[in-house]
Amino acid sequence: MEKKKLILPHGIPGHNLGEIEREVPASEPPAWPVNDKLKEVGKSVKRYDALAKVTGQAKYTADIQLPGMLYAKFFRSDTPHANIRSIDISKAEDYPGVYGIHLMKTDDGNYPVVKYAGQPLGGVAASSLAIAEEAIKLIEVDYEYLDFVVDVEEAQHPEAPIVHKEKIASQTDGGDVGVTHDGTQANGNVVGPSTGSFFGGPRGDLEQGFKEADVIVEHVYRTQVHTHLPLETHGVVVDWKPGNMVVYASSQNTAAMRDELADYFDISKGEVRVISEYTGGGFGAKHSAGVYGPMAATLSKKTGRPVWLMLDRKEEHISMGNRPNSIQYLKIGAKKDGKLTAIQQRSHGTAGVGLGAGVGRIAQVLYECPNFATEQYDVYTHAGPGAAWRAPGNVQGAYGVEQAIDEIADKLGINPLAYRDVIDKSDIRKVERQRGAEKFGWSRRKAPGSDSGPVKKGMGMAQSTWPRFVTLDSTAEVRIMRGGAVEIRSSVQDIGTGTKTVLGQVVAEEFGIPTEDVSVLIGDTYFPTGPGSGGSVATGSITPPARNAAYKVKMELLEQIAAKWESDLSNLVMEEGKIVDKTDDSKSVSFKDALKGMRTSQIIATASRSDDYGGFQQPWGLAHGDLGSVQFAEVTVDTETGFVKVDKIVAAHSCGRPLNPAQVESQINGGVIQGLAYALYEYRVMDKQTGFMINANVDQYKLPYAMEIPEIESIIIEDYSGTSSTDAYGIGEPANIATAVAIANAVYNAIGVRIYEIPITPDKILKALNKI
């Protein structure tokens, strides 16, 4: 492959900005300068879909209406563990308005074993949702009831009821990307351990490391199960005609859903089209077709009519994923100078009937430490399955690690902010700490518990890391047309993060035209395959192909213009809606007029994600570097009632080149609010006697509302690494990881006592202060 050399911006403006030379494929576009020298990229351009969303014009999956459409509802188990002897659907079939019923079976034709309350057993399609619900009440099931366990600690006992008696196939551990178990059960319901081998595994000698330590912190930290609550629940509308299945979906990954449905029904991918124009939020659990996709498709095929199947809020809580809980034993040693000598971590958590209850890689990679080991165990329980949830595993892991680091700083008599300078070698986080502390007013922080009176103020901070992951199977198509239209197409979806807008900005920047002149057509698998939206992957994966495809189109158009003008191609530039010859002012044409003079009706080019410039730096995946983040929290604690109010959050973040600062800030705000909810409110409550979730709603499942949302200030730091044609990455994960533990550290600073378990509810505060 022919190569060329590029000189790209490298470093942090105002800190260490310089340049770096990279050898790249000859087809790559020229290097962009830093944002303040660009016209469209790096600017807070209004969202493409802002007007449609605020006026109600945007059509989400639940809004889709098709001729002859039926409404489907799941028939679910009303017991947490049982064998099914029989299911009688005769009365439901005869109910007026019912058009189709499908019961779920195993590969060998038997009814599935019920393993959690609310497990789907079948579906009913009817002329209305009310009729489907009434028909479900007529279905009779003969159960053989079995013992169950829903508590993570009770499930570890040798005599506990076994969740999976069959051998479990090897699965990916959702506690961190790519970590796997061997697929066998180590001890009853306990599976593992995962030892972090995907990220380098254990290192050094723990015993020797702790011998060398002058101070040691050793505690158990607990985090709760935290369910998914996107505004739009999971669901699809499926219209399956012979040779053509059209699926309207609330999806984080249209291409993956297409592939999954094609595989499930053993049909070609070309027969399945997935459309997701608008998605009302997705935090990791909407990457697949789940059980609702195949169910709606099966009912559509059976009835010959389109089928609408959207889950209700209770179903969303029970069966569509959650952040697993954790019980983390953590032991960390350090020398008098602050250098860490050893980190030992052991965790148990439950993702219900699924896997994925690890505590991530924070302890392994955030700080320099020569001796490290982790053991992360999954514990099966009779509860709904976990799912990826915005930085899976790392949010739980950070809650332990960042409290322990603060406690070591306390023991050493070092300010916790200054202590990070000793043990953290990340340059970007150092800048984030400096700029964040100044904005936050960290110098106001007092000694723990030193405020007089019952109402006390506290300040805390915490930080995190997340890799700059990319997906190479990410393709964009750009086309320009004689009529003046400029389009970019990809199956990548916009789940509310603004992907559509940044794609328009990237193409507009390359053509030298306003962003609003670019049509962005995404969220449809008829377009080239785009990446999923998760793991902060989408921006870094799809914006380089978007720019590269636009560059190809641009060069073909410029070649035509150069031939007409008899100009040197290298002298032509596109800027401010025109094409000009830099050496001859008389040679100028508007962009739209240039399109009218094209030889063909359109120019089209596609491009896929190329390898990072300089190669991928991590041995375990398509990633490099670090999306650093530092969160500062200020709280007020009433020591008489135990009530905690978060007053202010300052969030300092980097995501490479920020393409649209307003959208980055929006992502940070969302991550902060979710982190606050995790710290103080959200908590799945399971009834040990019945096996049911008893707060599967938005009343008793507590969420922060407007009055609980603090002042949030974002600091967005440009951090150029010279790794792609846009040098841009996502921000979804880092904004969430450190918030809860920053709040916990602030609570400690307020009351002088640590809270080792979240959510930090009033009763925990009062117990810690020995008031109850």
Side-chain angles (χ1 to χ4, degrees):
M1 179 187 295
E2 188 180 350
K3 299 278 189 177
K4 67 180 180 184
K5 291 183 178 180
L6 289 182
I7 305 297
L8 299 112
H10 190 265
I12 303 167
H15 175 64
N16 64 351
L17 182 64
E19 295 180 332
I20 190 169
E21 184 179 86
R22 301 283 198 195
E23 188 175 71
V24 304
S27 59
E28 291 288 311
W32 272 344
V34 295
N35 274 357
D36 64 4
K37 296 182 180 179
L38 298 177
K39 297 289 187 181
E40 299 293 320
V41 163
K43 310 303 181 286
S44 293
V45 174
K46 184 178 74 176
R47 287 176 182 257
Y48 269 69
D49 53 12
L51 184 62
K53 286 183 174 180
V54 299
T55 59
Q57 295 175 47
K59 278 197 171 184
Y60 291 84
T61 303
D63 299 321
I64 299 297
Q65 297 287 321
L66 301 176
M69 188 171 76
L70 301 175
Y71 294 83
K73 187 76 176 173
F74 273 113
F75 158 55
R76 295 179 178 273
S77 68
D78 58 6
T79 184
H81 194 199
N83 291 321
I84 298 174
R85 297 190 185 99
S86 65
I87 300 178
D88 184 353
I89 61 173
S90 57
K91 293 178 182 177
E93 286 180 311
D94 292 339
Y95 194 79
V98 171
Y99 285 82
I101 298 177
H102 177 69
L103 297 180
M104 300 173 72
K105 298 286 186 71
T106 61
D107 290 341
D108 56 10
N110 295 319
Y111 295 118
V113 176
V114 173
K115 295 184 178 180
Y116 67 93
Q119 177 178 320
L121 303 178
V124 175
S127 55
S128 74
L129 194 57
I131 290 174
E133 290 170 345
E134 288 302 313
I136 285 170
K137 295 176 185 177
L138 301 176
I139 298 175
E140 298 174 358
V141 185
D142 183 10
Y143 290 113
E144 176 194 352
Y145 295 101
L146 303 172
D147 291 337
F148 61 88
V149 59
V150 295
D151 181 82
V152 65
E153 291 178 279
E154 293 177 6
Q156 296 175 54
H157 295 164
E159 67 274 14
I162 300 298
V163 176
H164 294 296
K165 293 183 180 178
E166 70 277 18
K167 180 174 173 152
I168 305 303
S170 179
Q171 298 186 41
T172 298
D173 175 1
D176 217 325
V177 182
V179 182
T180 58
H181 292 308
D182 63 7
T184 60
Q185 294 179 168
N187 180 20
N189 292 316
V190 182
V191 183
S194 164
T195 58
S197 58
F198 198 68
F199 301 99
R203 57 180 180 264
D205 184 332
L206 276 183
E207 185 177 355
Q208 182 60 33
F210 285 120
K211 283 181 181 178
E212 294 172 1
D214 296 309
V215 297
I216 292 176
V217 167
E218 186 175 14
H219 290 293
V220 173
Y221 304 86
R222 294 171 181 263
T223 65
Q224 77 279 37
V225 172
H226 176 204
T227 72
H228 280 263
L229 269 180
L231 283 176
E232 181 188 29
T233 61
H234 287 67
V236 293
V237 175
V238 180
D239 186 9
W240 194 350
K241 299 291 191 297
N244 184 31
M245 181 197 297
V246 179
V247 182
Y248 301 88
S250 178
S251 175
Q252 290 181 245
N253 197 327
T254 58
M257 180 174 276
R258 173 200 61 197
D259 296 352
E260 192 176 330
L261 289 169
D263 289 345
Y264 185 90
F265 292 105
D266 194 24
I267 59 179
S268 72
K269 294 177 184 178
E271 292 181 64
V272 183
R273 180 183 184 185
V274 176
I275 301 169
S276 183
E277 186 174 4
Y278 293 98
T279 293
F283 312 115
K286 290 184 177 178
H287 277 279
S288 78
V291 293
Y292 54 92
M295 177 59 71
T298 298
L299 289 169
S300 179
K301 186 177 183 180
K302 275 189 171 185
T303 62
R305 296 170 67 169
V307 170
W308 180 102
L309 175 56
M310 297 294 298
L311 274 61
D312 63 29
R313 189 59 63 189
K314 182 176 181 180
E315 291 175 301
E316 190 78 15
H317 272 296
I318 290 170
S319 64
M320 291 318 303
N322 54 69
R323 187 187 299 283
N325 66 1
S326 72
I327 303 171
Q328 308 168 47
Y329 165 80
L330 192 62
K331 182 179 180 181
I332 302 181
K335 294 181 178 179
K336 289 179 181 178
D337 63 2
K339 298 290 179 62
L340 299 179
T341 61
I343 299 174
Q344 181 181 8
Q345 181 185 59
R346 183 173 61 253
S347 73
H348 292 78
T350 183
V353 297
L355 292 173
V359 292
R361 60 194 284 272
I362 291 286
Q364 190 170 0
V365 302
L366 187 57
Y367 300 112
E368 285 197 344
C369 183
N371 306 296
F372 168 83
T374 185
E375 295 178 7
Q376 302 182 24
Y377 295 88
D378 272 278
V379 182
Y380 290 120
T381 56
H382 291 99
W389 210 132
R390 203 167 186 176
N394 290 274
V395 178
Q396 301 97 298
Y399 189 76
V401 170
E402 284 296 85
Q403 283 212 76
I405 292 299
D406 256 38
E407 196 163 349
I408 288 174
D410 258 7
K411 288 192 172 189
L412 294 171
I414 304 174
N415 184 294
L417 183 69
Y419 183 45
R420 266 79 175 183
D421 288 338
V422 175
I423 59 175
D424 183 11
K425 300 307 177 185
S426 165
D427 204 39
I428 182 60
R429 281 195 298 274
K430 182 176 182 178
V431 173
E432 288 167 347
R433 288 193 297 271
Q434 291 170 344
R435 297 183 186 178
E438 182 179 355
K439 172 78 74 172
F440 183 70
W442 181 260
S443 59
R444 298 179 292 116
R445 184 178 183 269
K446 301 177 183 178
S450 61
D451 267 2
S452 60
V455 178
K456 300 178 182 293
K457 289 278 191 177
M459 302 173 75
M461 57 82 58
Q463 55 185 33
S464 69
T465 179
W466 186 261
R468 302 183 186 204
F469 287 117
V470 302
T471 300
L472 295 184
D473 190 12
S474 302
T475 302
E477 174 189 287
V478 173
R479 56 176 66 191
I480 56 177
M481 287 164 264
R482 273 191 189 146
V486 179
E487 291 182 354
I488 176 170
R489 302 179 174 200
S490 176
S491 77
V492 66
Q493 54 293 304
D494 189 332
I495 62 172
T497 56
T499 300
K500 182 179 287 188
T501 306
V502 297
L503 286 173
Q505 289 178 261
V506 167
V507 173
E509 185 70 47
E510 194 61 31
F511 288 140
I513 59 177
T515 298
E516 58 265 27
D517 287 354
V518 180
S519 296
V520 182
L521 305 175
I522 62 173
D524 190 331
T525 56
Y526 269 15
F527 302 144
T529 297
S533 298
S536 301
V537 162
T539 299
S541 299
I542 196 60
T543 61
R547 186 191 173 198
N548 293 10
Y551 175 70
K552 290 179 183 179
V553 170
K554 169 183 172 179
M555 295 311 295
E556 185 171 339
L557 177 60
L558 289 180
E559 285 173 3
Q560 292 184 24
I561 299 294
K564 284 182 183 179
W565 290 351
E566 297 182 349
S567 294
D568 189 321
L569 178 62
S570 64
N571 290 330
L572 301 191
V573 294
M574 285 184 179
E575 57 186 16
E576 298 181 355
K578 297 183 293 184
I579 299 173
V580 298
D581 185 327
K582 294 182 295 183
T583 65
D584 186 345
D585 292 342
S586 68
K587 295 179 178 179
S588 174
V589 64
S590 72
F591 181 77
K592 289 190 175 180
D593 284 343
L595 267 55
K596 291 176 183 177
M598 293 191 309
R599 285 201 303 264
T600 55
S601 60
Q602 57 187 0
I603 299 175
I604 304 173
T606 61
S608 297
R609 183 55 158 92
S610 52
D611 287 354
D612 274 3
Y613 300 167
F616 295 107
Q617 302 302 310
Q618 303 292 355
W620 36 261
L622 300 179
H624 81 276
D626 178 17
L627 294 172
S629 69
V630 180
Q631 313 282 69
F632 295 84
E634 184 169 4
V635 303
T636 299
V637 183
D638 187 328
T639 60
E640 292 182 339
T641 65
F643 182 75
V644 177
K645 175 74 167 69
V646 180
D647 302 310
K648 183 176 183 177
I649 298 285
V650 169
H653 288 265
S654 69
C655 56
R657 179 193 299 274
L659 298 174
N660 186 313
Q663 291 187 172
V664 173
E665 185 174 348
S666 179
Q667 280 280 281
I668 293 171
N669 289 345
V672 166
I673 292 168
Q674 287 182 324
L676 181 149
Y678 187 56
L680 301 181
Y681 301 105
E682 294 189 55
Y683 180 35
R684 185 187 72 180
V685 181
M686 298 294 293
D687 187 330
K688 293 183 183 181
Q689 303 306 312
T690 65
F692 277 79
M693 179 181 176
I694 60 176
N695 61 335
N697 49 51
V698 288
D699 175 19
Q700 294 152 317
Y701 186 89
K702 297 301 181 184
L703 294 164
Y705 294 99
M707 293 298 291
E708 285 85 39
I709 305 303
E711 175 188 357
I712 304 171
E713 288 194 59
S714 299
I715 300 171
I716 302 168
I717 295 171
E718 295 177 38
D719 176 24
Y720 298 94
S721 55
T723 52
S724 75
S725 62
T726 60
D727 216 5
Y729 293 89
I731 194 67
E733 267 59 32
N736 186 43
I737 298 172
T739 303
V741 66
I743 292 169
N745 285 336
V747 168
Y748 164 72
N749 181 243
I751 66 175
V753 181
R754 289 208 169 269
I755 308 297
Y756 296 108
E757 180 177 3
I758 51 174
I760 303 172
T761 48
D763 63 305
K764 293 190 180 79
I765 295 286
L766 297 177
K767 284 178 183 177
L769 295 172
N770 297 314
K771 292 193 174 183
I772 59 173

